[in-house]
Amino acid sequence: MRNVLFSMVAVALAGTAFAGERYNKVVKPGDKAPTFSGVPAYSPSGEQTSLTLSDLKDDVVVVVFLANHCPAVVGVEDRLNEFTSEYKDKGVRVVGICVNDIEEDKLPAILKRVTDKNDKKINYVYGHDETQAVGKAYGATRTPYFFVLDKERTIRYLGAFDDNAKEEKVTKHYVKDAVDALLAGKSPAVEESQAAGCGIQYKK
């Protein structure tokens, strides 16, 4: 079933037009990033911590909405880890947040996820917002969903990590290009793309 879902995501990403369209109905490039505080989280070492946007002093912050169960998230994990490692000493911070209300995505599962020696290790702080308020504030509808914030915490890019679920077919590196532009004092050439992945189920 995971392979079927992953294939569907690959098709959706490959067939999506990314130029000049609004995909997020809540926030847009140029908006101030919604703040958040005290989101329970775990560091890659398994240490319990919390995520507060105002505590992050890095030049660029990449907020990504994730879900443990989602094949699209699994498919991008290696690329996200590589990105985090490459940019951690360049003033860039990656933080993951999950808002799903299912057991395999809640905080105990996230702890297992970051400490399981048999699983892929992640190298960024990963938290769970049981209120789902953060996801709603950012208009996150799918996982993974990326938001690149500049030094003033303005949203400068939002959407997919790159343009294909299959790494060998990637031709456009949206998040990386946006971060590189900001670090160089420029504006990202692409400011929004359509996130493709598993839908987030919000509680009513």
Side-chain angles (χ1 to χ4, degrees), residues 157-171:
Y157 169 80
L158 59 155
F161 186 71
D162 47 37
D163 67 339
N164 204 293
K166 295 183 177 180
E167 186 173 3
E168 66 274 13
K169 294 185 177 181
V170 170
T171 61

Side-chain angles (χ1 to χ4, degrees), residues 139-161:
T141 54
R142 296 187 176 277
T143 58
Y145 205 137
F146 291 82
F147 296 80
V148 177
L149 318 181
D150 66 15
K151 185 69 172 178
E152 287 69 43
R153 301 304 176 246
T154 298
I155 298 171
R156 303 299 299 275
Y157 169 80
L158 59 155
F161 186 71

Side-chain angles (χ1 to χ4, degrees), residues 172-192:
K172 298 182 185 299
H173 303 270
Y174 298 116
V175 170
K176 185 177 185 296
D177 289 349
V179 170
D180 284 342
L182 294 178
L183 292 177
K186 301 177 181 178
S187 296
V190 177
E191 296 182 325
E192 184 172 8

